[in-house]
């Protein structure tokens, strides 16, 4: 199954999503690629087996025409040399860290990082003998002062998980590269439609495809898109560890990508409307949404990102009991982890693992994943929450 990358290289993002690099003419005109379930691949001869490195497919674990379609689509969106697929967003974090770190190395991680990234670093990486250090999301070129000769990886996430701090990506990457480190960025919030990390000096762009690319809360997958200089090491580590994406899940994400652009437009508009509405309410102390004019990192957001997605948080002052009363009164908005699906969700944010970008002195951040429902219904549900919070004192 050949892919035709030249056709759409100049096209807009929604055209890339709708068509992608997959060429239907390579599959008898069928609009969508086939789902190939495979372990064994048969070879023509012992000679072909011996020279299998020149063949595109040799074993199910190493990839199939189905996984190639999604890898190529993501590489095109991220402007990357290559992409690997793995069974979760978290595996898309652990595998590149495994690929570029070893005993005695030093790894710098932004303090506003997704909590399970911190757990992997403090657990497995520390046990492997990697020295872990966290830095302020606003460090900018000041990262240079934290670099050591042993610093091999600088790990970024923008905006920060739950607290939404923005980073000066280019400044951090330039200083990291000057010190000889590889840079990785968890780009899940923005998707490649709203931020393209490799164009800002990042070497490896990480996604939880579970979120907007899947888009329907029914699949888990992750991806890492890499520069030419880093891709080989990444691919080799993936295959040495022995993980790849499953065929049916890959198909769900290929299908999800087709509508991701229009879904994101709706997530973006609804989230901004709700964020603005929440900001005007006296019960709310602060709204953390990168695209709000009042947001402390709005300038960094505007300079680097081309859009915002449907995830933001707001600060409800008072006891945790008040926040719990708010959340428990919601009827339409579910209480649950993950995000990027069609349905709205809320969670109380736990910032107790932060070492630099600490949580608020008073109150609880509530994170909202704004889904595709009608905004009026979401407002009515949040009103139920505010009524319950008032009654809780
Ligand atoms: C959810 C999430 C992940 C992990 O994705 P899973 O597919 O749930 O493992 C990684 N990074 C960020 C920022 C996330 O929100």
């Amino acid at each position: 199954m050949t892919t035709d990358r030249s056709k759409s290289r100049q096209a807009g993002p929604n055209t890339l999503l709708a068509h992608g690099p997959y060429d239907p003419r390579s599959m008898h005109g069928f609009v969508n690629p086939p789902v190939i379930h495979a372990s064994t691949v048969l070879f023509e001869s012992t000679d072909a087996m011996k020279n299998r490195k020149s063949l595109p497919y040799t074993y199910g674990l190493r990839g199939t025409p189905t996984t190639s379609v999604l890898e190529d689509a993501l590489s095109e969106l991220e402007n990357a040399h290559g992409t690997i697929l793995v069974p979760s967003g978290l595996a898309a974090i652990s595998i590149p860290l495994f690929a570029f770190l070893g005993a005695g190395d030093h790894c710098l991680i932004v303090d506003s990082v997704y909590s399970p990234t911190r757990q992997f670093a403090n657990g497995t990486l520390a046990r492997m003998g990697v020295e872990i250090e966290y830095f302020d999301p606003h460090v900018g070129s000041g990262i240079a002062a934290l670099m050591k000769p042993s610093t091999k990886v600088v790990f970024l996430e923008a905006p920060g998980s739950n607290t939404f701090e923005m980073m000066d990506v280019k400044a951090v990457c330039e200083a990291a590269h000057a010190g000889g480190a590889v840079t990785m960025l968890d780009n899940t919030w923005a998707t490649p439609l709203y931020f393209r990390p490799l164009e800002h000096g990042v070497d490896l762009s990480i996604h939880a495809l579970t979120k907007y690319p899947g888009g329907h809360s029914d699949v888990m997958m992750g991806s890492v898109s890499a520069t030419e200089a880093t891709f080989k090491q990444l691919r080799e580590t993936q295959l040495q560890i022995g993980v790849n994406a499953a065929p049916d899940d890959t198909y769900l994400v290929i299908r999800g990508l087709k509508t991701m652009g229009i879904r994101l437009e709706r997530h973006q508009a609804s989230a901004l409307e709700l964020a603005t509405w929440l900001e005007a309410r006296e019960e709310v102390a602060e709204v953390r949404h990168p695209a709000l004019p009042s947001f402390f990192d709005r300038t960094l957001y505007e300079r680097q990102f081309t859009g915002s997605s449907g995830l933001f948080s707001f600060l409800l002052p008072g006891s945790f009991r008040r926040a719990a009363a708010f959340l428990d009164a919601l009827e339409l908005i579910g209480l649950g982890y993950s995000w990027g699906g069609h349905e709205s969700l809320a969670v109380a944010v736990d910032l107790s693992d932060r070492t630099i970008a600490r949580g608020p002195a008073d109150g609880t951040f509530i994170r909202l994943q704004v889904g595709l429902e009608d905004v009026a219904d979401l407002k009515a549900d949040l009103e139920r929450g505010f009524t319950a919070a008032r009654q809780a004192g």
Side-chain angles (χ1 to χ4, degrees), residues 87-91 93 114 117 157 161 186 188-189 208-211 220-222 311 338-339 367:
S88 71
L90 185 53
I93 292 163
Y114 174 64
T117 305
E157 185 174 325
S161 265
D186 186 332
T188 302
W189 183 83
L209 301 176
T210 308
K211 311 288 170 53
M220 303 209 63
M221 198 180 294
L311 194 80
S338 206
W339 44 277
R367 189 188 74 181

Side-chain angles (χ1 to χ4, degrees), residues 64-130:
T64 66
T66 307
T67 54
S68 295
V69 167
L70 182 54
E71 288 171 355
D72 290 350
L74 292 167
S75 293
E76 184 175 71
L77 291 168
E78 285 277 346
N79 204 3
H81 175 77
T83 295
I84 67 162
L85 302 174
V86 289
S88 71
L90 185 53
I93 292 163
S94 61
I95 285 170
L97 288 170
F98 270 134
F100 291 94
L101 289 167
D105 290 343
H106 176 234
C107 175
L108 284 165
I109 301 178
V110 67
D111 190 50
S112 49
V113 77
Y114 174 64
S115 272
T117 305
R118 186 190 306 268
Q119 285 156 27
F120 175 73
N122 292 354
T124 305
L125 288 182
R127 188 161 43 74
M128 277 167 55
V130 177

Side-chain angles (χ1 to χ4, degrees), residues 38-41 43 52 56-64 239 244:
S39 54
T40 303
V41 175
F43 296 85
R52 65 186 175 281
Y57 304 107
T58 55
Y59 190 56
L61 178 65
R62 304 182 74 89
T64 66
L239 296 177
N244 209 321

Side-chain angles (χ1 to χ4, degrees), residues 109-311:
I109 301 178
V110 67
D111 190 50
S112 49
V113 77
Y114 174 64
S115 272
T117 305
R118 186 190 306 268
Q119 285 156 27
F120 175 73
N122 292 354
T124 305
L125 288 182
R127 188 161 43 74
M128 277 167 55
V130 177
E131 184 197 353
I132 307 294
E133 187 179 348
Y134 294 92
F135 65 86
D136 189 311
H138 295 136
V139 70
S141 54
I143 194 88
L146 304 176
M147 298 289 296
K148 302 181 181 186
S150 59
T151 309
K152 292 290 160 57
V153 169
V154 177
F155 191 100
L156 300 78
E157 185 174 325
S161 265
N162 298 317
T163 44
F164 298 93
E165 293 89 347
M166 278 289 168
M167 305 186 63
D168 187 338
V169 176
K170 192 169 254 162
V172 173
C173 288
E174 276 173 10
H177 287 154
V182 161
T183 56
M184 308 176 183
L185 184 141
D186 186 332
N187 193 30
T188 302
W189 183 83
T191 83
L193 291 195
Y194 293 158
F195 186 57
R196 305 224 291 180
L198 272 57
E199 293 170 4
H200 297 254
V202 170
D203 297 306
L204 300 117
S205 173
I206 291 164
H207 285 282
L209 301 176
T210 308
K211 311 288 170 53
Y212 293 115
H216 298 78
S217 308
D218 56 1
V219 64
M220 303 209 63
M221 198 180 294
S223 64
V224 189
S225 298
T227 57
E228 190 168 1
T230 56
F231 183 68
K232 190 163 173 279
Q233 176 88 357
L234 176 73
R235 177 68 93 192
E236 276 174 8
T237 305
Q238 173 203 17
L239 296 177
Q240 282 170 19
I241 289 175
V243 285
N244 209 321
D248 293 310
D249 293 348
T250 303
Y251 187 80
L252 285 176
V253 177
I254 290 169
R255 182 151 92 164
L257 276 186
K258 301 294 173 201
T259 57
M260 186 171 78
I262 55 160
R263 282 188 286 107
L264 271 172
E265 282 173 23
R266 177 65 176 264
H267 287 294
Q268 170 164 236
S270 299
L272 266 171
E273 187 178 340
L274 283 176
T276 307
W277 179 78
L278 284 165
E279 194 168 42
R281 294 193 66 107
E282 58 175 27
E283 300 100 323
V284 172
E286 185 189 353
V287 179
R288 293 267 180 110
H289 186 306
L292 273 189
S294 62
F295 185 63
F296 51 73
D297 282 343
R298 171 80 188 272
T299 329
L300 281 173
Y301 162 75
E302 283 204 309
R303 201 176 79 211
Q304 303 173 99
F305 288 59
T306 55
S308 59
S309 60
L311 194 80

